């Protein structure tokens, strides 16, 4: 027989002894008024039991309370998105619990380490012409250009994937500014004018440059990620454009910059990760800059248990593995908001999972893993699509 | 021996007879002052000959004029992007010519036709609860909900790809508004409030709805394109969610809406096409709305010749095949601007090719094919990535 529970004020209470035991075994509900004789359900748990388990909810007079009657009563910020993300986790046979049960630091958020090296930018004895409308610079002294390309992999000499076809070194705006600041490259324009032209085109230019400079100064090579739908693609220290045309070095990582003050629709945010996933690159997220006073603290949604050695983790025997932040497809996400969620997850010693409910209630989960770039003042994050 | 040409004022002139013949055979240059004895080069042609063919440019005093000397003189709107897109076309062994040579309508832009059908929306005798923050509505009368799902494929009944798991019909904002307007669906909110909530979340909501309604009224089924990085995915008339759970109908088309008044970085614009390409879907672009007074007319860049039966098309023997609009990765593109370019290409009877030069000067070409949705007042466009 289906479980019955009661709506009493804003409390959802399971009273029947057998139902209480069944619910408790399924890791739904919490003690009501401090006692385990009756259980109290969260709105998500109540809706889940109605939706998927055929449970029945009645009010004090014994009238049936339907899904919408109940949902309307508790409707609030992203109510359905939270519910469907919860449902998806439970439908996989694994346990999600309310955030209120979180305690201390679980120590389950290990940090990946990247192989950074100290980098000495070369001194450049040459001059480049900057094209403001293209945000590119050209060095037409081929001796200077070829060396910068072959030894340091700045810009593109000749033609992409065919450096011997054509000539001249073409630099993008990040490379141009970097070489001005670190390598004494001379240009027809002042640094200020170049930065202004770039910001005029894309207001987030300096946030992107900050990330470019941070990785470059640690020995990595960053080139455009245009073909992979991201801001940069990344090569590990020591990477060079091929010496012979025969082989071409493939990047395995891409970097996307999400400035603290920017906001994006979740659907647009997820698109960048999708492209990277489609081409089998590791997606690295950068949120440069420091926490600003007045930045909103975002509320996390669920404490997630996962699996170990073929069986599921439970609140009875295990620690939680992740913490969930739920979104709907057409919701906005902000850089500062995401940074706040990651910071809270870190304080709990858990990896953050971003769960997105699309317009058809299908849920996609992204795991956010913290990575360390030794020598950098920032944290970066690998984001991977997971099927829990 | 390498070709030499002269910079005279702002004219680039090939004078040597043998050079004139060589240049002419390669389909570079135009008659200078009406005579073919000397040829005049465009800046792109001159730079190409220097960059790739080792040509030499001198001023009136015989001094060498380098790539940057020349480029600086002609620098203007997206100068490098135009040059590298021109270079890429020529590097493929095919011919590009200045727009000034375009004449009349070449009749080479055939229109694809989609199989539209007249659609009678059902009458719905039911009520839905709208969740403003989720932009979704739920019908918890399962009889009404199941019929709308199974017969008309509105919303999601039960669980995505598992309609028998769970219950209740979930509608997105486009479906909700459509059913209010065409099927008398009753809601807890007025139409105006629903539209306001949706616009508040995404200002382009009505442009997306216009496209949704246009295709739905012609018998197509549109669902979220979230998994494919686009606004909608599209099923042809007659599509239904599977009757048995065993099989699942796959969409082959996705639709992205680009409102006339919106602007996007080219890199972001191209990302959506990349995801669709990665999952082998045909990408359909919609630019809803009519031309507004005062919309800027964009300048097209090159007249493109292509190939036929294994040999290249030439200005001597053939008509041009396409017309190119060149961009750089970090440039912005506007809906009205793209619509203007497509309109001009259409008047010339040619398909538009959008060529994008990334920060590494690698060029990607997208062909824009016009498609007809019979009964609709709009044109739509298939965009495909091509390697010319």
């Amino acid at each position: 027989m289906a479980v019955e529970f009661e709506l009493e004020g804003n409390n959802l209470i399971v009273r029947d002894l057998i139902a209480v035991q069944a619910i408790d075994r399924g890791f739904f509900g919490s003690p009501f008024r401090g006692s385990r004789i009756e259980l109290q359900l969260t709105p998500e748990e109540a809706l889940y039991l109605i939706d998927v388990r055929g449970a029945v909810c009645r009010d004090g007079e014994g009238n049936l309370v339907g899904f919408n009657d109940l949902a309307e009563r508790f409707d609030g910020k992203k109510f359905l998105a939270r519910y469907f993300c919860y449902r998806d986790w439970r439908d996989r046979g694994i346990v999600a619990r309310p955030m209120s049960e979180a305690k201390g630091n679980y120590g389950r958020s290990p940090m990946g380490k990247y192989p950074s090296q100290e980098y000495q930018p070369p001194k450049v004895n040459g001059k480049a012409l900057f094209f403001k409308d293209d945000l590119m610079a050209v060095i037409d002294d081929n001796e200077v250009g070829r060396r910068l390309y072959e030894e340091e992999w700045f810009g593109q000499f000749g033609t992409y994937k065919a450096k011997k076809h054509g000539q001249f070194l073409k630099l993008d705006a990040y490379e141009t500014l970097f070489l001005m600041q670190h390598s004494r490259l001379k240009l027809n324009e002042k640094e200020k004018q170049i930065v202004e032209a770039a910001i005029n085109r894309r207001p987030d230019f300096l946030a992107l440059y900050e990330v470019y400079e941070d990785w470059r100064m640690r020995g990595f090579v960053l080139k455009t990620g245009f073909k992979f739908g991201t801001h940069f693609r990344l090569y590990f220290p020591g990477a060079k454009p091929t010496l012979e045309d025969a082989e071409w070095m493939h990047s395995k990582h891409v970097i996307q910059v999400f400035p603290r003050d920017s906001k994006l629709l979740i659907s647009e945010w997820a698109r960048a990760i999708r492209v990277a996933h489609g081409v089998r690159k590791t997606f690295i997220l950068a949120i440069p800059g420091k926490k600003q006073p007045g930045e909103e603290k975002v509320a996390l949604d669920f404490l997630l248990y996962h699996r170990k050695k073929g069986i599921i983790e439970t609140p009875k025997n295990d620690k939680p593995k992740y913490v969930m932040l739920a979104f709907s497809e057409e919701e906005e996400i902000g850089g500062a908001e995401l940074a706040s969620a990651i910071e809270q997850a870190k304080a709990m010693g858990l990896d953050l999972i971003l769960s997105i409910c699309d317009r058809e209630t299908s849920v996609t989960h992204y795991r956010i893993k913290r990575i360390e770039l030794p020598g950098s003042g920032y944290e970066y994050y690998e984001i991977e699509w997971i099927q829990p």
Side-chain angles (χ1 to χ4, degrees), chain A:
Chain A
M1 209 189 70
V3 161
E4 283 208 16
F5 57 90
E6 205 176 292
L7 174 67
E8 191 185 277
N10 270 334
N11 294 321
L12 296 153
I13 307 156
V14 191
R15 297 223 145 96
D16 175 76
L17 185 64
I18 293 172
V20 163
Q21 289 174 341
I23 291 292
D24 192 43
R25 270 197 308 274
F27 304 104
F28 297 95
S30 316
F32 182 52
R33 293 188 180 139
S35 146
R36 298 196 78 87
I37 294 173
E38 295 176 336
L39 290 181
Q40 178 167 17
L41 303 172
T42 64
E44 294 82 20
E45 290 171 329
L47 291 178
Y48 185 79
L49 293 172
I50 292 175
D51 186 4
V52 174
R53 302 271 175 104
V56 168
C57 176
R58 294 188 190 277
D59 63 15
E61 276 107 55
N63 302 313
L64 270 181
V65 180
F67 183 95
N68 275 354
D69 299 328
L70 205 58
E72 192 166 19
R73 176 177 292 258
F74 292 102
D75 182 16
K77 197 158 158 13
K78 56 181 184 178
F79 182 77
L80 284 186
R82 279 172 52 92
Y83 168 61
F84 289 116
C85 290
Y86 172 84
R87 187 181 82 167
D88 183 85
W89 199 263
R90 298 291 326 213
D91 277 351
R92 293 168 190 271
I94 45 184
V95 178
R97 297 289 306 169
M99 285 307 300
S100 55
E101 295 178 2
K103 295 188 201 76
N105 186 311
Y106 297 102
R108 301 187 81 182
S109 176
M111 203 150 174
K113 202 167 177 170
Y114 274 56
S116 85
Q117 285 178 4
E118 212 174 303
Y119 178 66
Q120 284 298 339
K123 293 297 165 241
V124 178
N125 189 9
K127 202 179 165 188
L129 180 67
F130 188 72
F131 294 78
K132 270 192 184 173
D133 200 61
D134 294 285
L135 299 183
M136 292 186 90
V138 175
I139 296 179
D140 66 356
D141 177 336
N142 286 336
E143 205 184 312
V144 173
R146 197 179 276 121
R147 209 175 52 238
L148 269 176
Y149 181 67
E150 291 183 354
E151 287 169 23
E152 314 279 342
W153 205 350
F154 283 105
Q156 177 63 48
F157 192 84
T159 304
Y160 177 72
K161 289 198 179 181
K163 67 175 181 183
K164 287 177 181 167
H165 180 79
Q167 34 183 333
F168 314 124
L169 186 72
K170 281 77 68 175
L171 301 164
D172 69 24
Y174 310 97
E175 293 168 326
T176 304
L177 185 56
F178 185 89
L179 291 174
M180 283 183 99
Q181 291 191 344
H182 298 280
S183 301
R184 296 188 206 147
L185 175 68
K186 286 187 277 298
L187 265 95
N188 58 320
E189 306 267 4
K190 292 216 170 60
E191 189 182 312
K192 190 165 167 277
Q193 292 168 308
I194 287 171
V195 171
E196 270 175 14
I199 290 180
N200 191 32
R201 178 64 54 76
R202 54 179 315 151
D204 56 2
F205 174 75
L206 286 178
L208 267 71
Y209 178 71
E210 216 175 319
V211 171
Y212 176 85
E213 187 186 35
D214 196 25
W215 288 81
R216 256 288 180 185
M217 288 305 281
R218 264 119 225 134
F220 290 80
V221 174
L222 283 79
K223 311 298 286 180
T224 176
F226 178 72
K227 289 191 168 55
F228 311 120
T230 51
H231 295 132
F232 301 105
R233 64 182 201 274
L234 182 74
Y235 297 90
F236 277 31
K240 297 243 188 298
T242 50
L243 295 177
E244 299 304 320
D245 286 347
E247 52 168 334
W248 180 258
M249 191 175 257
H250 285 282
S251 65
K252 293 191 181 66
H253 300 72
V254 293
I255 302 187
Q256 184 74 357
V257 182
F258 192 28
R260 301 187 84 83
D261 59 359
S262 73
K263 281 192 179 294
L264 268 184
L265 280 177
I266 279 285
S267 51
E268 288 162 10
W269 189 86
R271 190 183 292 149
I273 304 174
R274 253 170 221 291
V275 190
H277 185 260
V279 290
R280 292 153 202 267
K281 307 281 179 204
T282 299
F283 183 96
I284 298 175
L285 183 77
I287 311 179
K290 298 289 174 200
K291 195 177 167 179
Q292 302 299 312
E295 274 181 11
E296 211 181 325
K297 190 174 167 181
V298 71
L300 300 178
D301 291 302
F302 300 102
L303 213 50
L304 302 174
Y305 293 80
H306 196 229
R307 295 172 217 280
K308 55 169 188 191
K309 296 174 194 156
I311 59 163
I312 68 163
E313 295 176 340
T314 70
K316 211 168 158 183
N317 302 316
D318 307 281
K319 295 176 189 171
K321 180 76 178 287
Y322 308 116
V323 64
M324 181 197 285
L325 183 61
F327 282 101
S328 68
E329 173 185 341
E330 291 193 321
E331 209 166 334
E332 272 192 330
I333 185 172
E337 184 188 5
L338 184 56
S340 149
I342 294 171
E343 199 186 307
Q344 289 177 68
K346 178 181 166 185
M348 298 165 67
L350 298 176
D351 277 358
L352 182 69
I353 287 197
L354 224 130
S355 303
I356 300 171
C357 171
D358 75 14
R359 303 200 315 258
E360 239 165 344
T361 69
S362 173
V363 176
T364 309
H365 303 279
Y366 296 100
R367 179 179 177 177
I368 299 184
K369 295 161 81 170
R370 296 182 302 127
I371 57 175
E372 189 191 345
L373 176 64
S376 164
Y378 297 136
E379 263 186 13
Y380 294 93
Y381 312 101
E382 285 181 3
I383 302 194
E384 61 177 18
W385 173 61
I386 59 160
Q387 290 182 288

